[in-house]
């Protein structure tokens, strides 16, 4: 059975995704890439008040693109990745699964 290279964690906010993803990354000796970490570090201190939802979602999309490229580099280097991006919408799940397929990666949903 081939080794899963890319683990994709999805579920609603507050469901324990990040806790599960961190434990999974440790068990799989994988790199944990979480949207919350990226958004908080890159944009948290600079978010305007009141929040502009459109602006926030554009930043999320930028982070997701960068996380994908980082995950791809890790996997191409022989590593494994746990992506903790929420994936609440079917379109987002489909997009990341299509990217994995396009690059010949083994992906598993959690």
């Amino acid at each position: 059975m081939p080794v899963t290279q890319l683990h994709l964690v999805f579920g609603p906010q507050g469901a324990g995704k990040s806790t599960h993803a961190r434990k999974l990354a440790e068990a799989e000796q994988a790199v944990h890439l979480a949207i919350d970490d990226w958004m908080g570090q890159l944009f948290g201190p600079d978010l305007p008040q009141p929040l502009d939802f459109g602006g926030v979602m554009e930043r999320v999309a930028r982070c997701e693109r960068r996380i994908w490229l980082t995950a791809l580099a890790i996997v191409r280097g022989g590593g494994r990745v746990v992506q903790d991006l929420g994936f609440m919408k079917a379109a987002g799940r489909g997009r990341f699964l299509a990217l994995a397929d396009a690059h010949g990666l083994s992906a598993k949903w959690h």
Side-chain angles (χ1 to χ4, degrees):
M1 182 192 299
V3 171
T4 300
Q5 299 164 307
L6 187 62
H7 297 270
L8 306 164
V9 179
F10 73 100
Q13 185 175 2
K17 287 183 308 298
S18 294
T19 299
H20 176 72
R22 282 190 293 273
K23 288 179 182 176
L24 179 62
E26 185 176 325
E28 292 290 323
Q29 297 179 342
V31 176
H32 175 227
L33 300 175
I35 190 70
D36 291 347
D37 295 342
W38 286 59
M39 285 293 294
Q41 288 284 319
L42 294 174
F43 303 116
D46 305 316
L47 285 176
Q49 294 299 323
L51 284 178
D52 168 24
F53 186 71
V56 169
M57 294 313 296
E58 195 282 323
R59 288 173 173 92
V60 167
R62 274 193 265 159
C63 282
E64 286 180 348
R65 285 190 297 271
R66 186 68 248 166
I67 288 170
W68 168 255
L69 293 172
T70 301
L72 187 57
I74 291 166
V75 170
R76 284 184 172 160
R80 290 180 288 227
V81 173
V82 174
Q83 287 189 333
D84 178 7
L85 304 184
F87 294 115
M88 287 303 301
K89 295 184 179 179
R93 292 191 298 272
R95 186 169 36 92
F96 272 78
L97 193 55
L99 285 168
D101 280 347
H103 290 277
L105 303 181
S106 169
K108 180 177 179 181
W109 289 104
H110 297 266

